[in-house]
Short mmCIF file of all heavy atoms in Angstrom, two decimals:
data_model
loop_
_atom_site.label_atom_id
_atom_site.label_comp_id
_atom_site.label_asym_id
_atom_site.label_seq_id
_atom_site.Cartn_x
_atom_site.Cartn_y
_atom_site.Cartn_z
N LEU B 1 -14.94 -32.12 -5.18
CA LEU B 1 -14.37 -30.77 -5.23
C LEU B 1 -13.54 -30.49 -3.97
O LEU B 1 -12.48 -29.87 -4.05
CB LEU B 1 -15.47 -29.73 -5.38
CG LEU B 1 -15.01 -28.30 -5.75
CD1 LEU B 1 -14.23 -28.32 -7.05
CD2 LEU B 1 -16.21 -27.37 -5.86
N ALA B 2 -14.02 -30.96 -2.82
CA ALA B 2 -13.26 -30.75 -1.58
C ALA B 2 -11.93 -31.48 -1.64
O ALA B 2 -10.89 -30.94 -1.21
CB ALA B 2 -14.09 -31.23 -0.39
N ALA B 3 -11.93 -32.70 -2.15
CA ALA B 3 -10.67 -33.46 -2.26
C ALA B 3 -9.71 -32.79 -3.23
O ALA B 3 -8.48 -32.74 -2.98
CB ALA B 3 -10.97 -34.89 -2.73
N ALA B 4 -10.24 -32.26 -4.33
CA ALA B 4 -9.40 -31.58 -5.32
C ALA B 4 -8.76 -30.33 -4.71
O ALA B 4 -7.54 -30.11 -4.86
CB ALA B 4 -10.23 -31.21 -6.55
N ILE B 5 -9.54 -29.52 -4.03
CA ILE B 5 -9.01 -28.29 -3.44
C ILE B 5 -8.03 -28.61 -2.31
O ILE B 5 -6.97 -27.98 -2.19
CB ILE B 5 -10.16 -27.41 -2.92
CG1 ILE B 5 -10.99 -26.89 -4.10
CG2 ILE B 5 -9.62 -26.24 -2.10
CD1 ILE B 5 -12.22 -26.09 -3.69
N LEU B 6 -8.36 -29.61 -1.48
CA LEU B 6 -7.46 -29.98 -0.39
C LEU B 6 -6.10 -30.42 -0.92
O LEU B 6 -5.06 -30.03 -0.37
CB LEU B 6 -8.10 -31.11 0.43
CG LEU B 6 -7.25 -31.66 1.58
CD1 LEU B 6 -6.92 -30.57 2.58
CD2 LEU B 6 -7.96 -32.83 2.26
N THR B 7 -6.11 -31.20 -1.99
CA THR B 7 -4.85 -31.64 -2.57
C THR B 7 -4.06 -30.46 -3.14
O THR B 7 -2.84 -30.38 -2.98
CB THR B 7 -5.08 -32.67 -3.68
OG1 THR B 7 -5.96 -33.69 -3.20
CG2 THR B 7 -3.78 -33.31 -4.11
N LEU B 8 -4.75 -29.53 -3.80
CA LEU B 8 -4.08 -28.35 -4.31
C LEU B 8 -3.46 -27.55 -3.17
O LEU B 8 -2.31 -27.07 -3.29
CB LEU B 8 -5.08 -27.47 -5.08
CG LEU B 8 -5.48 -27.91 -6.49
CD1 LEU B 8 -6.60 -27.02 -7.01
CD2 LEU B 8 -4.29 -27.89 -7.43
N VAL B 9 -4.19 -27.39 -2.06
CA VAL B 9 -3.68 -26.62 -0.93
C VAL B 9 -2.45 -27.29 -0.33
O VAL B 9 -1.43 -26.62 -0.06
CB VAL B 9 -4.78 -26.47 0.15
CG1 VAL B 9 -4.20 -25.91 1.44
CG2 VAL B 9 -5.90 -25.58 -0.37
N ILE B 10 -2.52 -28.59 -0.13
CA ILE B 10 -1.37 -29.31 0.44
C ILE B 10 -0.17 -29.21 -0.48
O ILE B 10 0.96 -29.00 -0.04
CB ILE B 10 -1.76 -30.79 0.67
CG1 ILE B 10 -2.80 -30.88 1.80
CG2 ILE B 10 -0.53 -31.62 1.01
CD1 ILE B 10 -3.35 -32.27 1.99
N ASN B 11 -0.41 -29.35 -1.78
CA ASN B 11 0.70 -29.32 -2.74
C ASN B 11 1.34 -27.94 -2.82
O ASN B 11 2.56 -27.80 -2.68
CB ASN B 11 0.19 -29.76 -4.10
CG ASN B 11 1.30 -29.86 -5.14
OD1 ASN B 11 1.64 -28.89 -5.79
ND2 ASN B 11 1.85 -31.05 -5.29
N VAL B 12 0.52 -26.92 -3.06
CA VAL B 12 1.09 -25.58 -3.24
C VAL B 12 1.64 -25.04 -1.93
O VAL B 12 2.55 -24.21 -1.92
CB VAL B 12 0.04 -24.64 -3.86
CG1 VAL B 12 -0.95 -24.14 -2.81
CG2 VAL B 12 0.72 -23.44 -4.52
N GLY B 13 1.10 -25.49 -0.79
CA GLY B 13 1.60 -25.05 0.50
C GLY B 13 3.07 -25.43 0.69
O GLY B 13 3.86 -24.65 1.23
N ALA B 14 3.43 -26.62 0.25
CA ALA B 14 4.82 -27.07 0.38
C ALA B 14 5.76 -26.26 -0.49
O ALA B 14 6.82 -25.82 -0.05
CB ALA B 14 4.92 -28.55 0.03
N TYR B 15 5.37 -26.03 -1.74
CA TYR B 15 6.22 -25.26 -2.64
C TYR B 15 6.30 -23.80 -2.19
O TYR B 15 7.36 -23.17 -2.25
CB TYR B 15 5.69 -25.35 -4.07
CG TYR B 15 5.97 -26.68 -4.72
CD1 TYR B 15 5.04 -27.71 -4.68
CD2 TYR B 15 7.16 -26.90 -5.39
CE1 TYR B 15 5.31 -28.94 -5.27
CE2 TYR B 15 7.44 -28.13 -5.99
CZ TYR B 15 6.50 -29.14 -5.92
OH TYR B 15 6.77 -30.35 -6.51
N THR B 16 5.17 -23.26 -1.75
CA THR B 16 5.15 -21.89 -1.27
C THR B 16 6.04 -21.74 -0.03
O THR B 16 6.74 -20.73 0.11
CB THR B 16 3.71 -21.46 -0.94
OG1 THR B 16 2.91 -21.55 -2.12
CG2 THR B 16 3.67 -20.03 -0.42
N GLY B 17 6.00 -22.74 0.84
CA GLY B 17 6.82 -22.69 2.03
C GLY B 17 8.29 -22.56 1.72
O GLY B 17 9.03 -21.79 2.37
N GLU B 18 8.77 -23.29 0.73
CA GLU B 18 10.18 -23.21 0.36
C GLU B 18 10.52 -21.86 -0.27
O GLU B 18 11.60 -21.31 -0.04
CB GLU B 18 10.54 -24.34 -0.61
CG GLU B 18 10.71 -25.69 0.07
CD GLU B 18 11.86 -25.67 1.07
OE1 GLU B 18 13.01 -25.88 0.66
OE2 GLU B 18 11.60 -25.45 2.27
N ILE B 19 9.59 -21.33 -1.07
CA ILE B 19 9.84 -20.03 -1.69
C ILE B 19 9.90 -18.94 -0.62
O ILE B 19 10.81 -18.10 -0.63
CB ILE B 19 8.74 -19.71 -2.71
CG1 ILE B 19 8.80 -20.70 -3.89
CG2 ILE B 19 8.86 -18.27 -3.22
CD1 ILE B 19 7.65 -20.57 -4.87
N VAL B 20 8.96 -18.97 0.31
CA VAL B 20 8.93 -17.96 1.38
C VAL B 20 10.15 -18.09 2.27
O VAL B 20 10.77 -17.11 2.68
CB VAL B 20 7.64 -18.07 2.19
CG1 VAL B 20 7.68 -17.13 3.40
CG2 VAL B 20 6.43 -17.74 1.32
N ARG B 21 10.54 -19.33 2.59
CA ARG B 21 11.72 -19.54 3.43
C ARG B 21 12.98 -19.00 2.76
O ARG B 21 13.84 -18.40 3.42
CB ARG B 21 11.90 -21.03 3.72
CG ARG B 21 13.05 -21.33 4.69
CD ARG B 21 13.08 -22.82 5.03
NE ARG B 21 13.51 -23.62 3.91
CZ ARG B 21 14.77 -23.94 3.66
NH1 ARG B 21 15.75 -23.48 4.43
NH2 ARG B 21 15.08 -24.69 2.62
N ALA B 22 13.08 -19.19 1.46
CA ALA B 22 14.24 -18.64 0.73
C ALA B 22 14.25 -17.12 0.83
O ALA B 22 15.32 -16.51 0.99
CB ALA B 22 14.19 -19.09 -0.73
N GLY B 23 13.08 -16.49 0.75
CA GLY B 23 13.01 -15.04 0.89
C GLY B 23 13.38 -14.59 2.29
O GLY B 23 14.08 -13.60 2.48
N MET B 24 12.93 -15.32 3.30
CA MET B 24 13.24 -14.97 4.68
C MET B 24 14.73 -15.12 4.97
O MET B 24 15.31 -14.37 5.77
CB MET B 24 12.42 -15.83 5.63
CG MET B 24 10.92 -15.59 5.54
SD MET B 24 9.90 -16.80 6.43
CE MET B 24 10.24 -16.34 8.12
N ASP B 25 15.37 -16.08 4.33
CA ASP B 25 16.81 -16.29 4.54
C ASP B 25 17.65 -15.15 3.98
O ASP B 25 18.83 -15.02 4.32
CB ASP B 25 17.25 -17.61 3.92
CG ASP B 25 16.75 -18.82 4.70
OD1 ASP B 25 16.36 -18.64 5.88
OD2 ASP B 25 16.73 -19.94 4.14
N THR B 26 17.06 -14.33 3.08
CA THR B 26 17.83 -13.22 2.52
C THR B 26 17.85 -11.98 3.41
O THR B 26 18.58 -11.04 3.13
CB THR B 26 17.26 -12.82 1.14
OG1 THR B 26 15.93 -12.30 1.31
CG2 THR B 26 17.22 -14.00 0.19
N ILE B 27 17.03 -11.98 4.47
CA ILE B 27 17.00 -10.83 5.36
C ILE B 27 18.26 -10.81 6.22
O ILE B 27 18.54 -11.79 6.91
CB ILE B 27 15.75 -10.88 6.26
CG1 ILE B 27 14.47 -11.00 5.41
CG2 ILE B 27 15.70 -9.66 7.16
CD1 ILE B 27 14.28 -9.88 4.44
N PRO B 28 19.04 -9.74 6.18
CA PRO B 28 20.28 -9.69 6.97
C PRO B 28 20.00 -9.83 8.46
O PRO B 28 19.03 -9.24 8.99
CB PRO B 28 20.85 -8.30 6.65
CG PRO B 28 20.22 -7.92 5.34
CD PRO B 28 18.86 -8.54 5.35
N HIS B 29 20.80 -10.62 9.13
CA HIS B 29 20.59 -10.82 10.57
C HIS B 29 20.76 -9.52 11.35
O HIS B 29 20.16 -9.36 12.42
CB HIS B 29 21.57 -11.88 11.09
CG HIS B 29 21.24 -12.35 12.48
ND1 HIS B 29 20.11 -13.09 12.78
CD2 HIS B 29 21.90 -12.16 13.67
CE1 HIS B 29 20.08 -13.35 14.07
NE2 HIS B 29 21.15 -12.80 14.65
N GLY B 30 21.56 -8.61 10.81
CA GLY B 30 21.76 -7.33 11.48
C GLY B 30 20.46 -6.54 11.63
O GLY B 30 20.27 -5.83 12.63
N GLN B 31 19.59 -6.65 10.63
CA GLN B 31 18.31 -5.95 10.72
C GLN B 31 17.46 -6.51 11.86
O GLN B 31 16.77 -5.77 12.57
CB GLN B 31 17.56 -6.08 9.38
CG GLN B 31 18.19 -5.30 8.24
CD GLN B 31 17.33 -5.33 6.99
OE1 GLN B 31 16.16 -5.68 7.04
NE2 GLN B 31 17.92 -4.97 5.86
N ILE B 32 17.52 -7.83 12.02
CA ILE B 32 16.75 -8.45 13.10
C ILE B 32 17.31 -8.02 14.46
O ILE B 32 16.55 -7.70 15.39
CB ILE B 32 16.78 -9.97 12.95
CG1 ILE B 32 16.19 -10.38 11.58
CG2 ILE B 32 16.03 -10.65 14.09
CD1 ILE B 32 16.32 -11.85 11.28
#
C-alpha cells in the first residue's frame, strides 16, 4: 500500500505541478 500511494503521489505531483505552473503564468506581471 505504501508503494502504491508513493507512486500515485509522485505521478500526480508532476501533472499537478504543470497545471499549477500554467495557472501561475497567467498572473499579470503588473500585479506582482
Side-chain angles (χ1 to χ4, degrees):
L1 193 58
I5 293 175
L6 177 60
T7 310
L8 284 173
V9 170
I10 292 173
N11 185 273
V12 78
Y15 285 93
T16 299
E18 283 298 275
I19 294 173
V20 174
R21 184 175 70 90
M24 295 169 72
D25 288 342
T26 65
I27 305 301
H29 191 68
Q31 291 186 15
I32 301 174

